[in-house]
């Protein structure tokens, strides 16, 4: 087939702990990642030329070579020059539903969709692991976005251990449209404030990874204990983002006031989410938060957990 339409889901972090520094300048992390059904739609269509083109009408998304989807296509053409010569380039059309600069891996999941889609259009027959390895060259979150579901991510986020699916847990997401947080700023500030307590010895890092792996959050996920999952939500980056962005801290407090299972900022923010037990509760919570903060700049979504990453979209 010469064209594919793919669904590229957003992710949230149920857990994010910063362990230490890495020689490559990134941080050593332990995270629990979760795919949700808030998704972009990516269409790839063979264009009969040797030029990749990106089309996206979202004002915050670049349509040039800096788009992560474009960079994914370029990487594929470099890695598979014969297939590129035979099948040519594609037009990449991004229907953006995931808020930009939100801590939801919007760019990474678009890149993941292009890797998966070009593998099919160019008939490469790559394994999922091979596609994930290519994804890691583009960004730490890209491998997770390819496989999706529920996973423990270590290293800089690219090493994945699948966890039992938490399909159909419900949530509400909230983000101020005009607010975005720079991921490099959040990590740099964290290092400035907490770098002195980083683990340095490889043995200590491994020990902490093992503790999280056999710890209460993973146990709660294995038993689908929704109440415990809600209580154990954790994100180290809240320590630097919430004091700097009082609006985000306030959002979190408003969610807490309405008695959810738990609430957290995702990734480096500024999106805040709250877990609830049903779609009805999600809708009710959304209405309550909207009534409490009638600011038109505040965007709200209901969503649910899904067990997959990039999927071919049903027509
Ligand atoms: P992460 O959670 O991985 O840190 P994010 O959700 O915070 O990512 P993105 O939505 O990926 O952030 O956007 C970060 C920046 O990347 C924005 O400034 C945006 O202009 C740029 N960008 C490049 N390509 C894309 C894309 N395909 N979709 C969204 N943003 C993109």
């Amino acid at each position: 087939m010469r064209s594919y339409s793919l669904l590229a889901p957003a992710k949230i972090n149920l857990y994010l702990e910063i362990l230490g520094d890495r020689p490559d300048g990134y941080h050593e992390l332990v995270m629990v990642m979760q795919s949700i059904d808030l998704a972009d739609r990516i269409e790839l269509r063979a264009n009969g030329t040797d030029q990749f083109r990106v089309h996206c009408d979202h004002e915050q998304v670049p349509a040039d070579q800096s788009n992560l989807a474009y960079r994914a296509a370029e990487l594929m053409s470099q890695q598979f020059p014969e297939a590129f010569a035979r099948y040519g380039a594609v037009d990449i059309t991004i229907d953006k539903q995931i808020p930009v600069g939100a801590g939801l891996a919007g760019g990474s999941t678009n890149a993941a969709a292009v890797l998966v889609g070009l593998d099919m259009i160019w008939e490469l027959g790559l394994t999922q692991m091979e596609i994930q390895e290519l994804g890691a060259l583009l960004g730490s979150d890209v491998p997770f976005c390819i496989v999706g579901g529920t996973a423990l991510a270590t290293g800089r986020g690219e090493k994945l251990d699948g966890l039992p699916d938490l399909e159909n847990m419900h949530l509400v997401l909230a983000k101020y449209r005009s607010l975005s947080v720079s991921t490099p700023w959040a990590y740099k500030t964290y290092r400035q404030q907490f770098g002195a307590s980083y683990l340095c010895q490889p043995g200590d890092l491994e020990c902490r990874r093992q503790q999280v792996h056999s710890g209460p959050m993973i146990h709660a996920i294995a038993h689908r204990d929704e109440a415990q999952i809600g209580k154990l939500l954790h994100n180290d980056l809240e320590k630097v983002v919430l004091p700097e962005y009082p609006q985000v801290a306030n959002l979190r407090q408003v969610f807490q006031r309405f008695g959810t299972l738990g609430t957290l900022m995702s990734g480096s923010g500024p999106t805040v989410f709250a877990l609830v037990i049903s779609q009805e509760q999600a809708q009710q919570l959304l209405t309550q938060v909207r009534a409490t903060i009638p600011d038109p700049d505040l965007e709200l979504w209901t969503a649910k957990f899904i067990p997959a990453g990039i999927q071919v979209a049903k027509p």
Side-chain angles (χ1 to χ4, degrees):
M1 204 195 293
R2 309 294 287 150
S3 75
Y4 276 98
S5 187
L6 298 141
L7 283 178
K11 64 86 191 160
I12 55 169
N13 299 91
L14 301 177
Y15 189 89
L16 190 160
E17 183 178 330
I18 299 173
L19 302 187
D21 265 326
R22 294 164 54 93
D24 60 11
Y26 288 89
H27 279 88
E28 273 297 328
L29 304 171
V30 187
M31 301 187 283
V32 177
M33 320 274 271
Q34 176 63 53
S35 303
I36 59 172
D37 67 350
L38 177 62
D40 292 340
R41 192 178 268 259
I42 310 289
E43 194 191 82
L44 301 183
R45 186 172 291 277
N47 64 19
T49 78
D50 61 358
Q51 299 292 315
F52 294 107
R53 292 186 294 242
V54 175
H55 310 274
C56 181
D57 57 14
H58 193 295
E59 58 189 17
Q60 290 167 280
V61 177
D64 62 13
Q65 300 182 356
S66 66
N67 193 299
L68 216 52
Y70 182 95
R71 289 179 39 215
E74 197 176 45
L75 174 70
M76 290 294 274
S77 68
Q78 288 160 359
Q79 297 281 327
F80 304 101
E82 285 170 19
F84 180 46
R86 178 168 349 146
Y87 294 98
V90 292
D91 275 15
I92 303 164
T93 306
I94 303 172
D95 174 7
K96 233 328 134 199
Q97 301 297 322
I98 304 171
V100 176
L104 300 174
S108 301
T109 194
N110 293 176
V114 170
L115 299 180
V116 170
L118 280 180
D119 172 54
M120 294 189 291
I121 290 179
W122 290 355
E123 301 182 294
L124 295 169
L126 299 174
T127 63
Q128 193 177 58
M129 186 53 82
E130 286 169 333
I131 303 175
Q132 284 183 52
E133 281 165 12
L134 290 168
L137 301 173
L138 294 162
S140 308
D141 286 345
V142 180
F144 173 75
C145 291
I146 293 163
V147 52
T150 311
L152 185 74
T154 53
R156 43 187 184 95
E158 86 290 8
K159 289 190 202 137
L160 301 173
D161 282 310
L163 294 171
D165 281 327
L166 288 173
E167 208 168 338
N168 282 335
M169 274 188 76
H170 294 269
L171 70 157
V172 177
L173 298 134
K175 178 186 180 286
Y176 286 98
R177 193 178 287 112
S178 61
L179 201 66
S180 51
V181 175
S182 150
T183 304
W185 170 85
Y187 279 101
K188 194 177 81 188
T189 309
Y190 192 90
R191 180 183 286 120
Q192 282 162 1
Q193 292 184 18
F194 301 100
S197 62
Y198 281 2
L199 300 177
C200 300
Q201 302 300 325
D204 294 342
L205 289 166
E206 186 49 27
C207 182
R208 183 63 198 142
R209 278 192 288 264
Q210 289 300 331
Q211 281 172 349
V212 175
H213 204 295
S214 55
M217 178 54 115
I218 306 302
H219 187 264
I221 291 170
H223 292 83
R224 204 192 159 95
D225 184 341
E226 298 190 0
Q228 273 302 103
I229 293 168
K231 281 193 195 133
L232 294 167
L233 295 173
H234 175 84
N235 181 352
D236 272 341
L237 289 173
E238 286 191 334
K239 292 182 218 162
V240 292
V241 177
L242 298 188
E244 187 71 21
Y245 295 90
Q247 271 179 304
V248 182
N250 181 53
L251 254 186
R252 211 178 171 298
Q253 278 167 8
V254 169
F255 271 136
Q256 267 164 346
R257 206 184 300 160
F258 290 114
T260 65
L261 292 172
T263 179
L264 193 73
M265 183 183 81
S266 183
S268 55
T271 304
V272 174
F273 67 87
L275 302 183
V276 290
I277 57 171
S278 66
Q279 164 64 26
E280 292 70 36
Q281 277 203 4
Q283 197 52 54
Q284 191 185 4
L285 178 63
L286 185 150
T287 308
Q288 286 167 320
V289 174
R290 170 63 68 216
T292 310
I293 312 177
D295 185 344
D297 195 41
L298 181 66
E299 292 188 288
L300 292 156
W301 299 262
T302 60
K304 64 179 192 311
F305 291 9
I306 55 170
I310 305 302
Q311 298 285 296
V312 175
K314 296 197 181 80

Short mmCIF file of all heavy atoms in Angstrom, two decimals, residues 21 26 85 90 95 145 149 180 185 213 255 258 268 272 313:
data_model
loop_
_atom_site.label_atom_id
_atom_site.label_comp_id
_atom_site.label_asym_id
_atom_site.label_seq_id
_atom_site.Cartn_x
_atom_site.Cartn_y
_atom_site.Cartn_z
N ASP A 21 23.06 11.57 37.17
CA ASP A 21 23.56 12.06 35.88
C ASP A 21 24.12 10.91 35.06
O ASP A 21 24.58 9.92 35.61
CB ASP A 21 24.68 13.07 36.11
CG ASP A 21 24.16 14.50 36.10
OD1 ASP A 21 23.21 14.76 35.34
OD2 ASP A 21 24.71 15.32 36.84
N TYR A 26 22.49 13.31 29.76
CA TYR A 26 21.09 13.07 30.15
C TYR A 26 21.04 12.64 31.62
O TYR A 26 22.07 12.48 32.26
CB TYR A 26 20.47 11.97 29.27
CG TYR A 26 20.20 12.42 27.85
CD1 TYR A 26 21.18 12.29 26.87
CD2 TYR A 26 18.97 12.97 27.51
CE1 TYR A 26 20.93 12.70 25.56
CE2 TYR A 26 18.71 13.38 26.20
CZ TYR A 26 19.70 13.24 25.24
OH TYR A 26 19.45 13.65 23.95
N ALA A 85 15.44 4.83 -2.35
CA ALA A 85 15.61 5.03 -3.80
C ALA A 85 14.48 4.35 -4.57
O ALA A 85 13.98 4.88 -5.57
CB ALA A 85 16.96 4.48 -4.24
N VAL A 90 7.66 10.55 1.27
CA VAL A 90 6.22 10.60 1.58
C VAL A 90 5.83 12.01 2.03
O VAL A 90 6.67 12.77 2.52
CB VAL A 90 5.83 9.62 2.72
CG1 VAL A 90 5.95 8.18 2.27
CG2 VAL A 90 6.63 9.87 3.98
N ASP A 95 -2.50 15.45 12.00
CA ASP A 95 -3.72 16.02 12.58
C ASP A 95 -3.47 16.08 14.10
O ASP A 95 -3.57 15.06 14.79
CB ASP A 95 -4.92 15.13 12.22
CG ASP A 95 -6.20 15.58 12.90
OD1 ASP A 95 -6.19 16.65 13.53
OD2 ASP A 95 -7.19 14.85 12.81
N CYS A 145 6.82 5.19 22.79
CA CYS A 145 5.67 5.55 21.96
C CYS A 145 5.38 4.48 20.91
O CYS A 145 4.23 4.28 20.52
CB CYS A 145 5.90 6.91 21.28
SG CYS A 145 5.89 8.28 22.46
N GLY A 149 1.28 1.05 25.73
CA GLY A 149 0.74 0.26 26.84
C GLY A 149 1.21 0.82 28.17
O GLY A 149 1.19 2.03 28.39
N SER A 180 3.68 26.59 28.31
CA SER A 180 4.44 25.36 28.07
C SER A 180 5.73 25.44 28.88
O SER A 180 6.20 26.52 29.22
CB SER A 180 4.71 25.12 26.58
OG SER A 180 5.26 26.25 26.00
N TRP A 185 14.93 22.95 30.44
CA TRP A 185 14.94 23.84 31.61
C TRP A 185 14.60 23.05 32.88
O TRP A 185 15.26 23.20 33.92
CB TRP A 185 13.94 24.99 31.44
CG TRP A 185 13.76 25.75 32.72
CD1 TRP A 185 14.55 26.77 33.18
CD2 TRP A 185 12.79 25.50 33.76
NE1 TRP A 185 14.13 27.17 34.43
CE2 TRP A 185 13.05 26.40 34.82
CE3 TRP A 185 11.74 24.59 33.90
CZ2 TRP A 185 12.29 26.43 35.98
CZ3 TRP A 185 10.97 24.61 35.07
CH2 TRP A 185 11.25 25.52 36.09
N HIS A 213 11.53 -1.45 40.84
CA HIS A 213 10.98 -2.58 40.08
C HIS A 213 10.18 -3.52 40.98
O HIS A 213 9.16 -4.08 40.57
CB HIS A 213 12.13 -3.33 39.40
CG HIS A 213 11.70 -4.11 38.21
ND1 HIS A 213 10.84 -5.17 38.28
CD2 HIS A 213 11.99 -3.97 36.90
CE1 HIS A 213 10.63 -5.66 37.07
NE2 HIS A 213 11.31 -4.93 36.21
N PHE A 255 -7.81 19.72 41.42
CA PHE A 255 -8.11 18.30 41.19
C PHE A 255 -8.22 17.56 42.53
O PHE A 255 -9.14 16.77 42.74
CB PHE A 255 -7.00 17.65 40.35
CG PHE A 255 -7.23 17.72 38.86
CD1 PHE A 255 -6.19 18.06 38.01
CD2 PHE A 255 -8.45 17.40 38.30
CE1 PHE A 255 -6.36 18.10 36.63
CE2 PHE A 255 -8.65 17.43 36.92
CZ PHE A 255 -7.60 17.79 36.09
N PHE A 258 -11.45 17.66 44.59
CA PHE A 258 -12.64 16.91 44.17
C PHE A 258 -12.53 15.41 44.41
O PHE A 258 -13.27 14.63 43.82
CB PHE A 258 -12.96 17.22 42.70
CG PHE A 258 -13.45 18.62 42.51
CD1 PHE A 258 -12.71 19.54 41.80
CD2 PHE A 258 -14.65 19.02 43.08
CE1 PHE A 258 -13.16 20.84 41.65
CE2 PHE A 258 -15.11 20.33 42.94
CZ PHE A 258 -14.36 21.25 42.23
N SER A 268 7.61 16.74 32.15
CA SER A 268 8.09 18.05 32.63
C SER A 268 6.95 19.08 32.63
O SER A 268 7.19 20.27 32.78
CB SER A 268 9.25 18.53 31.76
OG SER A 268 8.85 18.55 30.40
N VAL A 272 -1.47 18.56 33.85
CA VAL A 272 -1.77 17.87 35.11
C VAL A 272 -2.91 16.91 34.81
O VAL A 272 -3.81 17.23 34.03
CB VAL A 272 -2.20 18.88 36.19
CG1 VAL A 272 -2.65 18.17 37.46
CG2 VAL A 272 -1.05 19.84 36.51
N ALA A 313 -4.72 3.19 11.74
CA ALA A 313 -6.06 3.70 12.05
C ALA A 313 -7.09 2.95 11.23
O ALA A 313 -6.85 2.63 10.05
CB ALA A 313 -6.13 5.19 11.74
#
